[in-house]
Amino acid sequence: MKKLILTLLMGTAASAQSLLSPSKQIQLEFKLVDNGKPTYTLTYKGRPVIEQSLLGLTLERPQALESDFKTIKAETATGDETWTPVLGEQSRIRNHYNELKVQLLQTTTERKMNIVFRLYDEGLAFRYEFPNQYRWKYFKVTREVTEFNLTGDHKAFWIPGDFDSQEYVYSETPLSAINGDQSQISNGIGFKGPMEQTRVQSPLMMKTKDGLYINIFEAAVINYPVMHLNLNPKTFSFRADLAPNAIGDLAYLETPCKLPWRTVMVSDDAKDIVGSRMILNLNDPSKISDVSWIKPIKYVGIWWEMHVGKSTWDYAGSQNAQNAQPGVMIPTGKHGATTANAKKYIDFAANNGFDGVLIEGWNVGWEDWFGNWKEEVFDFVTPYPDFDVKEVTDYAKSKNVQIIMHHETSGSVSNYERRLDRAYDFMEKYGYKAVKTGYVGRIIPRGEWHDGQTMVNHFNWVVQRAAERKIMVNSHESSRPTGVHRTWPNYVSAEAARGNEFNAWSTGNPPMHETILPFTRLLGGPMDYTPGIFEIKMSAYEPSKKEQIHTTLAKQLALYVTMYSPIQMAADLPENYEKHQDAFQFIKDVAADWDDTKILEAEPGDYVTIARKAKGKDAWFVGAITDENARKSTIFLDFLPTGKKYKATIYEDGKDADWEKNPKSYAIKTIEVDSKSKINLNLAAGGGTAISIFPAK
Amino acid sequence: MKKLILTLLMGTAASAQSLLSPSKQIQLEFKLVDNGKPTYTLTYKGRPVIEQSLLGLTLERPQALESDFKTIKAETATGDETWTPVLGEQSRIRNHYNELKVQLLQTTTERKMNIVFRLYDEGLAFRYEFPNQYRWKYFKVTREVTEFNLTGDHKAFWIPGDFDSQEYVYSETPLSAINGDQSQISNGIGFKGPMEQTRVQSPLMMKTKDGLYINIFEAAVINYPVMHLNLNPKTFSFRADLAPNAIGDLAYLETPCKLPWRTVMVSDDAKDIVGSRMILNLNDPSKISDVSWIKPIKYVGIWWEMHVGKSTWDYAGSQNAQNAQPGVMIPTGKHGATTANAKKYIDFAANNGFDGVLIEGWNVGWEDWFGNWKEEVFDFVTPYPDFDVKEVTDYAKSKNVQIIMHHETSGSVSNYERRLDRAYDFMEKYGYKAVKTGYVGRIIPRGEWHDGQTMVNHFNWVVQRAAERKIMVNSHESSRPTGVHRTWPNYVSAEAARGNEFNAWSTGNPPMHETILPFTRLLGGPMDYTPGIFEIKMSAYEPSKKEQIHTTLAKQLALYVTMYSPIQMAADLPENYEKHQDAFQFIKDVAADWDDTKILEAEPGDYVTIARKAKGKDAWFVGAITDENARKSTIFLDFLPTGKKYKATIYEDGKDADWEKNPKSYAIKTIEVDSKSKINLNLAAGGGTAISIFPAK
C-alpha cells in the first residue's frame, strides 16, 4: 500500500532545495544562510505564508545546532498510503505527501542533523532527526530555535502559554494584541503555571486579512516537551517555546532520535483545516496488534451532580480540609458515589442503551486532595465506606453496563506511578475496561509542569501500561493530544482544553468556544468535552447562582457531532433527561465512532457544521453550531447515497430560543430526505441544530 | 515494661526549664530569650558542651517559627523500657531517659509547636513536634534554625557536606580548619552534589582539648531531609543545614507531625559513644509483626572481581557506551554474571557455609548505565543472555544457598519506583529473600539530591514495600541510616559511607578510616562495608596497578567484629580464600548477629576493640583495629562467664606485618582462656587482631 519514490537531489552541498505539495499549491524552500544557518520558507498558491525562518536547537553548554551547517545530501520522496484507524472520524485515511530530507553536517562539531520536510495538501510538517553517530549520544536541549515568521498582523484565536493548563477561554485578536498573561483572571482554573505576555499555546489558529487560514501545531509529541509559541510582536514572528523541567532544561535526548513534527496548515478554505488528518498521519502506526478490545463508549456518570453542587466527591467534608481531625471521617451525607446512587445510574444507563457509567469520588482521599501540593493523596484502590465495589460492579455486569474507573491524581504523578500496577490490578480484578485519569493541580515531582518532557513521557507511559492490560484511557488535565492515539489507539480521548464543566462554576465558555475547538484542540485528537447538558442554568439548583451553560439545549445536542470523541458522555443528571425524553432521543441515537466525516461549513470563532456516518451503519448525524450570533444557512445532503430515502429528525432551536434568555426552547421535526435534499438551518444566538438520518422504513 | 512518670512543671509561661539525665551527669536548660526565642544549653558533669543555642524553623513566606513564643506548658517524664531488636548488637536494649516537653505558642500566629528534650546517660536528643491545630495543616520549611554552639576549636572528624554522597575520606582537623569543598579531589566518587566550604556531614565526631567526646547526629529521619551541619568558624557554631529539593524548598509537612530527633552525645569516655544505643532507642518500635523471615546473612558474590578488573558488570562493553550501535549487543567475553560463574560461587558458598550469593551485573542495562543521567536504564527483570535465572536459582536451592538480588538504579529513582512492584514480583517468583539496592549517580527526578526529603522518603518507601513481600533490603548509596531499622527491621544494612571498594580503584581509605566509622556512620545502623579482602594489593591482578587495601590481612578479619552488619560479605574472590584457608576459618566462624557487645577500647581515629557474643551461641568474637600506627595493648576477657574454659583462636598480624610493606603477614595461634584471662594485642601499622572464642571441648 505504501509507495515511496526516492529521488536523490544532490550528493554534496547545495544551498537551497524546494518541494511542492501533491496538489502543487504549497511550496517549501529550504536554504542555508549566513554562516550555514538552516531556514525554511512556505508559500500557498504563490502567496507567502511563512517568511524565511530559522531552524535549529541550542544545546547544553556553548553548543548550538543552529549554524555552521553544510548540506551533505538532500533527497525527496513521495508517500501515499491508506490506513484504517481503530476508532476514528473516518474508517479509511489517506496519508499522501511529498518529502524532502536534508542531511546536514555541522562543520565545527562534525555532528549530523537531518531536517525532514513533508508537504501535504493541507500544509507543511517538518522535524529534526538525529542519526546514530560517532561519539555523540546524549544531549540536552536548552532552547529550540525554530521560527514561524508570519507575514502580517493576522487575526488569531489564542490562549495564554501556561505550561500547566490549557483550560482557558480563547481570545480572538490580532497578533499585535496578544497579551498572554491572564494570571489574574478569575476563570475557574485551579492552578496556573508560568506564563509570559507574548507566549501562547499551540495549536494556534489564524486568519490573514486576505482570507488565508493558517494553523501552527505539532504532531507525535513523544519524549519532548509540548510546543508553545512565543511572539515577537514587532516582526509577527513566533519561536517554539518549550516547558522547562525543575532545573531549567528542556529535553534530554539520545541519538538516534526524532523530534516531534512542527506543522503549518494553510488553506483559503477553513474546512480544509477542520477536516485534515495530517496530524494523525504524522504519527506512527498502531503498536497494539490485537485491538479488538478498543471500542467506543457512550456513558453517563456520577459527575455533573458534583459540579452543580448536588453532591460531593468527598465523603467527609472540605476538599482541602484544613480542620479535619486526623484519622477521623464523619460523613456529611452529601457524598455522591454511594452504592445506591451508582445503581441508579447503572439502571439509567441500561434503560437508555449506554455502555458505561463513570463513578467519580468512589475512593478515599477527596477530603484533602486539592491545593496543598500533597504527595500521598489517593491510593486508587480503597473505596469509601458507603461504596461497595463488588456490589456495584456485579450489579453493573448483571445489567450489561461497564463501570468506568476514575483515577484522580491531583497532580501527584510520582504517587500515581508508584501505585499504577496496583491500580490496574484492581481494575483487572473487577473487569474494568476504561479509566478516566485526572491531573488537577501542581505536579509532583515538584518543579515539573504538565507540558514538560517528564509529563509528556508520563502520559504516554500510562497509556502503554494500560495497553498491556487492555485498558482504555481518557485523560483529563493532561498535555493536549498530538495524534499519538494513532500509535496507542487505547488512548481513546482526553480533555486538555476548557470543557463544558467550566460552565457550571465559573465565567464559563462563551458561545464561540465550541466553534474554535475544531480548529485547535480537536486537531490533535478526540476531546471528552462532556456535552449534553439540558438544565442550562445553575439557578435550577440554587436560586442565587448566576452560572449557566453558554449554549441552547439544541446546541448541546449538536456538540455530539462537532466534538469528536469515541468515548462520549451524556453529562447531565438522569432526572434532567427524563424531563426532555424527546430531545434525549438524539443522544441515545448518536454514534461515537464513524465511517466518514464531511465538513459542510466552517469558520473559526463563528460556526461549524459537520455530517458524519456512523461506523458500520447506514445512519448519518449532522451537527451545526454557531457562536453568539444567530445564523441561517442551508446544507445539502449530497453525502447520502443517491436514490435512497431516509428519515431525518431535526432537533433545532425554538423560534424564541437564545442561549442566555431562553436556552431550553427547542423544536423537533421529522422529514423524509435523500441525496438531493437540502435543509435550512435556523440557529439561535449560541444555538445549534442536530440531525439524525436513518433509512426510511 | 514501659514506665512513664509525668510531672507537670507549670501550667503557664515560665522562661526556663531544666532537666537532668538519669545519671545526673548531663543537664539541659531550655529558655525563651529576647522576643520569645527558644534556646537550649547543655552541660556534662558541670562542663559546658553546647552553649545557649537557638531552636526553631523558618517557613515559606515571611513566616518563622523561631520567635514570639511563650511557654504554655512544660512537663517532665521518665522513660525506662527494655526491648528486643530483631537483629542487633545485643539482644536486649534498655531505653532509659528523662524527658522535658515544652509546649510553645507563637503569640503572633497562634501556632503551636512543642519541643521535646530527652536526656540519656549518653547525651541529649530533642525534636520539634507539631500537634493537630486549628487552621494550620500544611507548611513548608525553608530553613532550620537549630544551632549547636560549641565551646571551642575542638578536634573534628568530618567529611564535606555533599548532599549527594557520603563516600568521602574523613579529615581529622580542628573545627577552624574545616574546608568542606573537596569537589576537586580525585577520590573515586562518581558524582558530587552541591557543597559549601563550611558544611560538613553528620554524624560529626569531635573531641575537646580537655578530653570530652561530643557527637552531633540525628535519629528517626522520616519525611524530612538529612541533617548536615554548617559551621560559623568564628563562633564554632553549627547550624542544621538541609538538602533542598529541585525548587529550593527543604520539606513539605502537615500537622500533626514530629520531626527527626537532633542528638548531642557527650562523654569523657569514647567507649560510651561507640556503645550507645540512643539512636536506635529514639526510633519507633517495629512496624512488622511477623519478623520470622528477617535473618542474618553471610554471603559471597560476583562483585569484587569487577572491582579488580577481572570481569565486568556489562555484557557488551563500555559502561557509558558512547558508540554502541542501537539494539546491538556484542559480548566482550568479560561478563562476570554468567550462569557458569554463578554456579562456581554457589558451590563455594555451599562448601564454606555461607547463606547467600550476591550476583551483580545479571540484568541488562550496564552497557549504558553510568554518567549520562539517563532515566530508563534498568528494568530489574531482564537477564543478560548468558545468565539463566531459573537454572542459577534452582542450582542455588539445590545447594541450600540463597541468591541475593541486585537492583542498581543508577540514581533513576522515578524509573525504579515505576518498576518496583514488578521487580519484587520477579523476586517472589524465584524466591529471593534479600535485595541489594544501588543509587550511583545523579538522581532522577532531576534536581533532587540523595539527602533531600524526596529521597529519604524513597529509601523508607522501598523498605516498606519490601516488608510487604518479606524482602530484606541492603541499600548502597542511600542516605545514611538513623536507626530507622528499629522500625523497619527488614532494612538490614546499608552502605552510605566510603566502603572497602574504594581501595580497589581510588586513593582508597586510609588506615584510620575504619577506626572513625564506629563513631560516625555506624551509630545510625549496620554498614555493609564488605570486609575480608585477602589479596591486598591490586598489582596481583595487573602489575601496573598501585591501588591497595589500606590494612593488613588480619585487620580485614577484625573488621567482621568492629563493623557491625547482620548481612556480612566475604568480599574477596574464592581463589584468594583458597590460598589462605587458615585465616579464612575466622570468616567462616564469625557471627553476624549478636546477643551482646562490649566495647573494650576506643579512640576515634586511633583504635577500636570490640567483643561480641554470637546470638544464641556460647561463642565470642573479638576485633581490634588500629590506624596507621602500630599498637600494643592488653584486653581482659572478663566478659566471659566465670569458671568456664574456652579455646581462643587469635588471628594477628605477623611480627613483620605492615599495611603497606607486608600486609599479608599474619599468625594464628590457639590458647585456652577463661574469664580471668588477658590477651596481649600486637597490632601492626594499619593492622588488627581477630579472636574467636569457643567453649573448650
Side-chain angles (χ1 to χ4, degrees), chain A residues 344-571:
Chain A
K344 186 186 111 182
Y345 276 83
I346 291 165
D347 286 338
F348 181 77
N351 293 339
N352 292 284
F354 289 90
D355 308 294
V357 174
L358 168 73
I359 303 172
E360 295 202 3
W362 69 277
N363 59 327
V364 297
W366 293 92
E367 279 65 34
D368 194 17
W369 76 288
F370 179 71
N372 293 311
W373 220 8
K374 183 175 174 172
E375 183 156 4
E376 306 260 333
V377 179
F378 297 104
D379 71 3
F380 313 101
V381 296
T382 308
Y384 277 124
D386 57 352
F387 185 77
D388 187 321
V389 179
K390 184 165 187 320
E391 188 177 336
V392 168
T393 309
D394 288 348
Y395 189 75
K397 272 183 199 147
S398 77
K399 299 277 184 174
N400 200 25
V401 167
Q402 59 173 295
I403 301 296
I404 298 170
M405 173 50 81
H406 184 233
H407 290 166
E408 174 57 51
T409 68
S410 72
S412 182
V413 168
S414 49
N415 180 55
Y416 189 41
E417 292 193 346
R418 278 177 211 130
R419 296 175 185 274
L420 193 72
D421 274 330
R422 294 166 185 222
Y424 284 170
D425 286 347
F426 184 93
M427 287 180 64
E428 205 163 279
K429 176 179 168 188
Y430 289 104
Y432 291 14
K433 297 169 188 166
V435 60
K436 173 181 171 180
T437 58
Y439 294 88
V440 172
R442 296 188 78 173
I443 297 299
I444 300 175
R446 295 186 178 93
E448 301 293 340
W449 308 110
H450 284 71
D451 280 354
Q453 183 188 31
T454 295
M455 286 302 296
V456 164
N457 286 345
H458 168 80
F459 297 123
N460 289 331
W461 172 82
V462 164
V463 167
Q464 291 175 44
R465 282 271 170 117
E468 294 176 6
R469 311 288 192 116
K470 303 195 174 178
I471 289 171
M472 292 178 276
V473 177
N474 168 19
S475 67
H476 281 229
E477 301 88 25
S478 63
S479 58
R480 79 283 184 279
T482 56
V484 177
H485 59 294
R486 179 182 177 189
T487 310
W488 296 102
N490 65 318
Y491 199 169
V492 287
S493 198
E495 186 186 43
R498 192 174 178 90
N500 219 1
E501 64 190 17
F502 277 83
N503 284 313
W505 34 256
S506 80
T507 53
N509 309 346
M512 76 169 176
H513 188 63
E514 297 93 346
T515 71
I516 301 168
L517 289 169
F519 289 92
T520 54
R521 165 66 183 79
L522 284 155
L523 295 175
M527 178 174 176
D528 187 29
Y529 188 72
T530 67
I533 302 300
F534 284 6
E535 191 57 83
I536 302 289
K537 303 224 179 203
M538 298 308 117
S539 54
Y541 303 100
E542 163 56 54
S544 67
K545 281 195 178 177
K546 299 264 185 285
E547 293 82 4
Q548 74 160 96
I549 306 291
H550 292 66
T551 75
T552 63
L553 189 151
K555 183 172 170 182
Q556 287 290 311
L557 297 179
L559 295 177
Y560 284 91
V561 183
T562 63
M563 296 290 222
Y564 167 64
S565 179
I567 179 162
Q568 193 70 281
M569 189 175 202

Side-chain angles (χ1 to χ4, degrees), chain B residues 167 187-189 304 306-308 313 498 501-508 538 545 547-548:
Chain B
E167 297 186 324
N187 53 11
I189 293 173
W304 189 250
M306 283 85 100
H307 285 282
V308 302
W313 280 271
R498 192 173 178 90
E501 64 189 18
F502 277 82
N503 284 311
W505 35 256
S506 80
T507 53
M538 299 307 117
K545 282 195 179 177
E547 292 82 4
Q548 74 159 95

